[in-house]
Amino acid sequence: MSTASESADWWATAITRMAPGVVELRGIPVQELIGSVDFVSMIWLMVRGELPGECQAALLEAALVASVDHGPQAPSIAIARMTATCGVGLNNAMASGVNALGDAHGGAGQQCVEVLTEIVSSTDAGTDLTAAVAHVTSRHRYVPGFGHRFHPVDPRRDPLLTLVDRAVDDGVVTGRYLRAARAVETFLNEGRSRPVPMNIDGATAVIYAELGFAPELARGLFVLSRTVGILAHAWEETTQGMRNKGPIPRSILPTFRGESRRLPG
Amino acid sequence: MSTASESADWWATAITRMAPGVVELRGIPVQELIGSVDFVSMIWLMVRGELPGECQAALLEAALVASVDHGPQAPSIAIARMTATCGVGLNNAMASGVNALGDAHGGAGQQCVEVLTEIVSSTDAGTDLTAAVAHVTSRHRYVPGFGHRFHPVDPRRDPLLTLVDRAVDDGVVTGRYLRAARAVETFLNEGRSRPVPMNIDGATAVIYAELGFAPELARGLFVLSRTVGILAHAWEETTQGMRNKGPIPRSILPTFRGESRRLPG
Amino acid sequence: MSTASESADWWATAITRMAPGVVELRGIPVQELIGSVDFVSMIWLMVRGELPGECQAALLEAALVASVDHGPQAPSIAIARMTATCGVGLNNAMASGVNALGDAHGGAGQQCVEVLTEIVSSTDAGTDLTAAVAHVTSRHRYVPGFGHRFHPVDPRRDPLLTLVDRAVDDGVVTGRYLRAARAVETFLNEGRSRPVPMNIDGATAVIYAELGFAPELARGLFVLSRTVGILAHAWEETTQGMRNKGPIPRSILPTFRGESRRLPG
Amino acid sequence: MSTASESADWWATAITRMAPGVVELRGIPVQELIGSVDFVSMIWLMVRGELPGECQAALLEAALVASVDHGPQAPSIAIARMTATCGVGLNNAMASGVNALGDAHGGAGQQCVEVLTEIVSSTDAGTDLTAAVAHVTSRHRYVPGFGHRFHPVDPRRDPLLTLVDRAVDDGVVTGRYLRAARAVETFLNEGRSRPVPMNIDGATAVIYAELGFAPELARGLFVLSRTVGILAHAWEETTQGMRNKGPIPRSILPTFRGESRRLPG
């Protein structure tokens, strides 16, 4: 093989084909997509390689809408806002927000898809659902996708699950991961006074798993959705014009070895 | 004011309201948005503070669909793919891709909105359109949003402008920025053998300007759109399992002071 | 030219030469550097292409030591600490800290070198120093490198300037940028009740300029120095084991449109 | 506790104390450090909390000098160079380079410290060294810190180990991790035609372990060292003035499904 083709092959991709005057995405000329395909279907096309059905796209759309933001107390949002005050581009502020969506902040959806997949595999192999749930959840101190330190009930749970229920009724998805997730919820709440309900990560994990996305893509799609909130917050912060925003007001100075002090204005 | 409210106010936002069991985005409970509002309208709501009309959302949607990807030769995509092979999370790979969308890579749309806005302000103040175009473009060696080093004609230009034309006919937008952009194109091509047509950044800048987005948001929305391509490429790279992917095949070693050498396999 | 050498040339560099069993940095085999050259001289070699004299290295060392940290109220440090709690690698936390060192946070040194360079060029061309200072500073609302919103006197100023004075006496540097900086300080403080003394960015800018570093490298070297503090803080945060650290304690919830509220524990 | 002190405590640190006119790092006023303490000792002070002995600092210095760069074929360096051409700050280019130093690119040192620590713990508990090595390495397909796909012998190995040997002789360190590392090397090479010698990550891991750094800090210190190379390369790229540098020359276009093509110049 020549070095030219070797170099080109090193960067070969099944996603994009470029030639002068030509941009094809997953084999479809871009001009056929613009104005014809909605943004959510475009997302699906890019990561999966083919266009979704309308009902599949609707379910993905609900998951993407539900996850856009959870306020500036979330590290990713606070970080994007702070970075936006430091004299960098809006893209740099967004990048640092996205960079914080790691295993402990943006990874619960991915982990929950893994948990649900393991339960479904186990029941497919003949294990009883309750036993599979007990076995799989026993390995987690906190089962990802369940419980919330702030919301007693996550307001995003019910509307998402209602849509999945409807998609099951319509034969769009099988409902196997939904069943597994509900069984986990029941199991975790048995005999508890304080409930541990399914949270946004759990409810969207159900959708991603039902739609056949790989666990890592549950993270990737959550990141994409949260990028909307990150953009909105970075932009709001930018319009306020503060420079070098620290985490707390300047009048409160964090101090060394616990001697808190309040500075004069 | 107490320190508690001072600290809370430091992070106050008009975007999100949180309370136990409550998530409101721009004043709308999240459960009313899930399943009712499409993702593009959600993006608009988050950055603008109110829901768009259907035709406005459709125009934004076209711009977002058109910009998702331009192949792995773009630094942002290559960077995301390389980072994905280095043993970090998918979000980290996405962050580094986004971080590269600076003034020279992702900023042409923002700069083009600024150019178009200046031309429109100038004509509003009574200057003749051609004179305004000549004056504003004279300050740029390369007018952002026009010309492409790779595509003689950008295949994304025509379908986008067709949609803007239709939106003008329907009274959705005024068409003032479209007119300005076409005047720039005419001006740049006068007496040229090699055309300098409007490119993707120019065509989407027209849409963002017509829809009333601030120039910086033209960057922000482009970043959001390109994040889709970044995710798709980072994920494709991940599935291929390479580790520590460098920019060129290992058989070709970049060398010092021009002594190229080919290594034994 | 063959494509092989074209590809290799695309990544050619004067910094590193690699061959099997060979690593040369700026033309020196790495094994001759290890154990012989101190880290600061290594930094100089890498960015400048040659080894520094001992007194030059000592001056750079002082600047690097002085800038390592300014506490967690600085956005870069707070961001690194928050990111470290999100389930990503220590390198990712460091990256987000570094990413915040933009024009408004880490750029004052670079801007101050530019100001000092302009003053020195102006006096070289025959302008009187006071006139040059008045002219150049008149273009800045806040002259970069002077004044501090927190420290009435920056404790890092005096020891750094003392070292520069000594280097001038020893003929290591010319002292032209030091003179310009002192003239700016005098000019800014004339007739003021509240002093606007040179700060850390100003004092290190004097050093970088005296040593002949390009203005952008003043930023780059500051970033390198602050990376030490970023690492120390990210690591301290990691050892404390918090997850998803937000900017303020969870008991204080930032709220929407100014209605601050305190949550029950 | 009042909210003021609660907020301040949320950001309390043992690293930095700030008050107007005061900056203390690990309890030492910064003005006592500037000009007195070398940069490597400052790094040690910041991450460990106390100043090192001179011989300890010298060993750390050698490790930091040895790791600064391995050329632009390394993803971190290529990424920093590409980002530097995209119209962002030098700090943003550095950040994206650092962000790539993940488990597979910058993590081998950390993993090697873990391997060596496990072997030493095992021998401390009475296991024979060879048995401990066989047991611990059996869990790794590739033992981190050993072997190199490019260098048959890593030129940084010998000078680093020589310094450790000397430090053992001088009683600066115990030599237990060095012994473990040499035993791993012997074990891996037994009966092999192609040697698997200790590489830079292994040799620096020995130093970090001997000096008592936690495994994660082996990553952190490597990142700090490599930031020097990242800065030098990002700056070299900046001075060359290219815009939007892709991974391969523009004349070679990566294509879709293997149809390589060469564009007209």
Side-chain angles (χ1 to χ4, degrees):
Chain A
M1 186 167 49
S2 79
T3 318
S5 58
E6 222 181 314
S7 273
D9 286 356
W10 187 253
W11 287 100
T13 172
I15 299 171
T16 332
R17 191 171 84 86
M18 307 288 302
V22 175
V23 178
E24 282 180 22
L25 299 167
R26 297 292 191 178
I28 307 177
V30 68
Q31 60 270 31
E32 293 180 19
L33 294 163
I34 297 168
S36 310
V37 163
D38 64 280
F39 190 42
V40 171
S41 297
M42 192 70 203
I43 294 167
W44 184 299
L45 174 68
M46 289 293 286
V47 297
R48 298 282 286 261
E50 53 196 18
L51 286 164
E54 204 177 311
C55 299
Q56 292 172 305
L59 214 48
L60 175 57
E61 185 142 48
L64 292 172
V65 164
S67 311
V68 292
D69 188 30
H70 199 249
Q73 182 60 8
S76 52
I77 297 291
I79 287 167
R81 294 190 72 124
M82 292 166 78
T83 306
T85 69
C86 292
V88 297
L90 203 49
N91 65 301
N92 304 121
M94 293 168 75
S96 288
V98 166
N99 212 34
L101 297 170
D103 287 346
H105 185 13
Q110 172 175 347
Q111 294 147 22
C112 186
V113 171
E114 285 160 358
V115 163
L116 299 180
T117 302
E118 203 182 341
I119 293 169
V120 167
S121 301
S122 192
T123 55
D124 281 356
T127 310
D128 168 73
L129 179 56
T130 312
V133 164
H135 177 70
V136 173
T137 58
S138 69
R139 290 205 308 276
H140 294 268
R141 191 166 161 203
Y142 300 103
V143 182
F146 296 84
H148 205 288
R149 63 190 181 199
F150 183 69
H151 298 302
V153 176
D154 191 314
R156 297 160 294 188
R157 174 193 178 281
D158 288 356
L160 288 171
L161 294 195
T162 302
L163 292 170
V164 185
D165 275 328
R166 203 178 306 156
V168 173
D169 290 347
D170 295 348
V172 177
V173 297
T174 65
R176 301 192 309 157
Y177 300 92
L178 175 61
R179 216 154 30 236
R182 283 205 168 112
V184 171
E185 199 175 41
T186 303
F187 180 82
L188 292 174
N189 285 308
E190 243 155 48
R192 289 242 195 175
S193 53
R194 195 178 175 258
V196 187
M198 203 183 304
N199 61 31
I200 176 73
D201 297 310
T204 52
V206 166
I207 291 180
Y208 295 132
E210 290 286 352
L211 292 173
F213 285 99
E216 292 91 334
L217 283 177
R219 165 104 60 115
L221 292 166
F222 169 74
V223 170
L224 195 57
S225 167
R226 187 54 58 93
T227 303
V228 176
I230 288 171
L231 168 60
H233 279 280
W235 173 240
E236 186 188 53
E237 189 69 52
T238 301
T239 59
Q240 292 171 357
M242 199 184 286
R243 279 167 67 94
N244 284 338
K245 179 176 184 149
I248 57 176
R250 281 172 200 133
S251 54
I252 307 168
L253 188 72
T255 53
F256 189 53
R257 293 178 188 142
E259 309 154 36
S260 296
R261 56 180 298 152
R262 196 179 161 90
L263 293 182
Chain B
M1 186 165 52
S2 79
T3 319
S5 57
E6 222 181 312
S7 273
D9 286 357
W10 187 253
W11 287 99
T13 173
I15 299 170
T16 333
R17 191 172 85 86
M18 307 288 302
V22 176
V23 177
E24 282 180 22
L25 299 167
R26 297 293 191 176
I28 307 176
V30 68
Q31 61 271 30
E32 293 179 18
L33 294 163
I34 297 168
S36 311
V37 164
D38 64 280
F39 190 42
V40 171
S41 297
M42 192 71 201
I43 293 167
W44 184 299
L45 174 69
M46 290 294 286
V47 297
R48 297 283 286 260
E50 52 198 17
L51 285 165
E54 205 178 310
C55 299
Q56 293 173 305
L59 215 48
L60 175 57
E61 185 142 48
L64 292 172
V65 164
S67 312
V68 292
D69 188 29
H70 199 250
Q73 181 61 6
S76 53
I77 297 291
I79 287 167
R81 295 189 72 124
M82 291 165 78
T83 306
T85 70
C86 292
V88 298
L90 202 49
N91 65 302
N92 304 120
M94 292 169 75
S96 288
V98 166
N99 212 34
L101 296 171
D103 287 346
H105 185 14
Q110 172 175 347
Q111 294 147 20
C112 185
V113 171
E114 285 160 358
V115 163
L116 299 180
T117 303
E118 203 181 342
I119 293 170
V120 168
S121 301
S122 192
T123 55
D124 282 357
T127 311
D128 168 73
L129 179 56
T130 311
V133 164
H135 177 70
V136 172
T137 58
S138 69
R139 290 205 308 277
H140 294 269
R141 190 165 163 202
Y142 300 103
V143 183
F146 295 84
H148 205 287
R149 63 190 182 199
F150 183 69
H151 298 301
V153 176
D154 191 314
R156 296 160 294 188
R157 175 194 177 281
D158 288 356
L160 288 171
L161 294 195
T162 302
L163 292 170
V164 185
D165 275 328
R166 203 178 305 157
V168 174
D169 290 346
D170 296 348
V172 177
V173 298
T174 66
R176 300 191 311 155
Y177 300 93
L178 174 61
R179 214 153 33 235
R182 282 204 168 114
V184 171
E185 199 176 40
T186 303
F187 180 82
L188 292 175
N189 285 307
E190 242 154 48
R192 289 242 195 173
S193 52
R194 193 178 177 258
V196 187
M198 203 183 303
N199 60 31
I200 176 74
D201 297 310
T204 53
V206 167
I207 291 180
Y208 295 133
E210 290 286 351
L211 292 173
F213 285 98
E216 293 91 333
L217 283 177
R219 164 103 61 112
L221 291 166
F222 169 74
V223 170
L224 195 57
S225 167
R226 187 54 57 93
T227 303
V228 176
I230 288 171
L231 168 60
H233 280 279
W235 173 239
E236 185 188 54
E237 189 69 52
T238 301
T239 59
Q240 292 171 356
M242 200 183 287
R243 279 167 67 95
N244 283 338
K245 178 177 184 147
I248 56 177
R250 284 178 197 128
S251 53
I252 307 169
L253 187 73
T255 52
F256 189 53
R257 292 173 192 146
E259 309 154 37
S260 295
R261 57 180 298 149
R262 196 178 161 91
L263 293 182
Chain C
M1 187 166 50
S2 79
T3 319
S5 57
E6 220 181 316
S7 273
D9 286 357
W10 188 252
W11 288 99
T13 171
I15 299 170
T16 332
R17 190 172 84 85
M18 308 287 303
V22 176
V23 177
E24 282 179 24
L25 299 167
R26 297 291 190 179
I28 307 176
V30 68
Q31 60 271 31
E32 294 179 18
L33 295 163
I34 297 168
S36 311
V37 164
D38 64 279
F39 190 41
V40 171
S41 297
M42 191 70 202
I43 293 167
W44 183 298
L45 174 68
M46 289 294 286
V47 297
R48 296 283 286 262
E50 53 197 18
L51 285 164
E54 206 178 309
C55 299
Q56 294 173 305
L59 215 48
L60 175 57
E61 185 142 48
L64 292 173
V65 164
S67 312
V68 293
D69 189 28
H70 200 249
Q73 182 61 7
S76 53
I77 298 291
I79 286 167
R81 295 189 73 124
M82 292 165 76
T83 306
T85 69
C86 292
V88 297
L90 202 48
N91 66 301
N92 304 120
M94 293 169 75
S96 288
V98 166
N99 212 35
L101 296 170
D103 287 345
H105 185 12
Q110 171 175 347
Q111 294 147 22
C112 185
V113 171
E114 286 160 357
V115 163
L116 299 179
T117 303
E118 201 180 344
I119 293 169
V120 168
S121 302
S122 191
T123 56
D124 281 357
T127 310
D128 169 73
L129 179 56
T130 313
V133 164
H135 176 70
V136 172
T137 58
S138 69
R139 289 205 308 275
H140 294 269
R141 191 167 163 201
Y142 300 104
V143 183
F146 295 84
H148 206 287
R149 61 189 182 200
F150 182 70
H151 298 302
V153 177
D154 191 314
R156 298 160 292 189
R157 175 194 177 281
D158 288 356
L160 288 170
L161 294 195
T162 302
L163 292 170
V164 185
D165 275 328
R166 202 178 305 155
V168 173
D169 290 347
D170 296 347
V172 177
V173 297
T174 66
R176 302 191 310 156
Y177 300 93
L178 174 61
R179 218 157 25 240
R182 282 204 169 112
V184 171
E185 200 174 40
T186 303
F187 180 83
L188 292 175
N189 286 305
E190 243 156 47
R192 289 240 195 176
S193 52
R194 195 178 176 257
V196 187
M198 204 181 305
N199 60 32
I200 176 73
D201 297 311
T204 53
V206 167
I207 292 180
Y208 295 133
E210 291 286 352
L211 292 173
F213 285 98
E216 293 90 334
L217 283 178
R219 164 103 60 113
L221 292 166
F222 168 75
V223 169
L224 195 57
S225 167
R226 186 55 55 93
T227 303
V228 176
I230 287 172
L231 168 59
H233 280 280
W235 173 239
E236 187 189 52
E237 189 69 52
T238 301
T239 59
Q240 292 171 356
M242 199 183 286
R243 280 166 67 95
N244 284 338
K245 180 176 184 148
I248 56 176
R250 282 177 197 128
S251 53
I252 306 168
L253 187 73
T255 52
F256 188 54
R257 291 176 191 144
E259 308 154 37
S260 296
R261 55 180 299 150
R262 196 178 161 89
L263 293 183
Chain D
M1 188 167 49
S2 80
T3 319
S5 57
E6 220 181 315
S7 273
D9 286 356
W10 187 252
W11 287 99
T13 171
I15 299 170
T16 333
R17 190 172 85 84
M18 308 288 302
V22 176
V23 177
E24 283 180 22
L25 298 167
R26 297 292 190 179
I28 307 175
V30 69
Q31 60 270 31
E32 294 180 18
L33 295 163
I34 297 169
S36 311
V37 164
D38 63 280
F39 190 41
V40 171
S41 297
M42 191 70 202
I43 294 167
W44 184 298
L45 174 68
M46 290 293 286
V47 298
R48 297 282 287 259
E50 53 197 17
L51 285 165
E54 207 178 308
C55 300
Q56 293 173 305
L59 215 48
L60 175 57
E61 185 142 48
L64 292 172
V65 164
S67 313
V68 293
D69 188 29
H70 199 249
Q73 182 61 5
S76 53
I77 298 292
I79 286 167
R81 294 189 73 124
M82 291 165 78
T83 306
T85 69
C86 292
V88 298
L90 203 48
N91 65 301
N92 304 121
M94 293 169 76
S96 289
V98 166
N99 212 35
L101 296 170
D103 287 345
H105 184 13
Q110 171 175 346
Q111 294 147 21
C112 185
V113 172
E114 286 160 357
V115 162
L116 299 180
T117 303
E118 203 181 342
I119 293 170
V120 168
S121 301
S122 191
T123 55
D124 282 357
T127 310
D128 168 73
L129 179 56
T130 313
V133 165
H135 176 71
V136 172
T137 58
S138 69
R139 289 206 308 276
H140 294 270
R141 189 162 165 206
Y142 301 103
V143 183
F146 295 84
H148 205 288
R149 62 189 182 199
F150 182 70
H151 297 303
V153 176
D154 191 314
R156 299 161 292 190
R157 175 193 178 281
D158 288 357
L160 288 171
L161 295 195
T162 302
L163 293 169
V164 185
D165 276 328
R166 202 178 306 155
V168 173
D169 290 346
D170 296 348
V172 178
V173 298
T174 65
R176 303 193 306 158
Y177 300 92
L178 175 60
R179 217 156 29 239
R182 283 205 168 113
V184 171
E185 200 175 38
T186 304
F187 180 82
L188 292 175
N189 285 306
E190 243 156 47
R192 288 242 195 174
S193 52
R194 193 176 178 259
V196 187
M198 203 182 304
N199 59 33
I200 176 73
D201 298 310
T204 53
V206 167
I207 291 179
Y208 295 133
E210 290 287 351
L211 292 173
F213 286 98
E216 292 90 335
L217 283 177
R219 164 103 61 112
L221 292 165
F222 168 75
V223 170
L224 196 57
S225 167
R226 186 56 56 92
T227 303
V228 177
I230 287 172
L231 168 59
H233 280 279
W235 173 240
E236 186 189 53
E237 188 69 52
T238 300
T239 60
Q240 293 171 355
M242 199 183 286
R243 280 167 66 95
N244 283 339
K245 180 175 182 149
I248 57 176
R250 283 179 197 127
S251 54
I252 306 169
L253 187 73
T255 52
F256 189 53
R257 290 176 191 144
E259 310 154 36
S260 295
R261 57 179 298 149
R262 196 177 161 91
L263 292 184

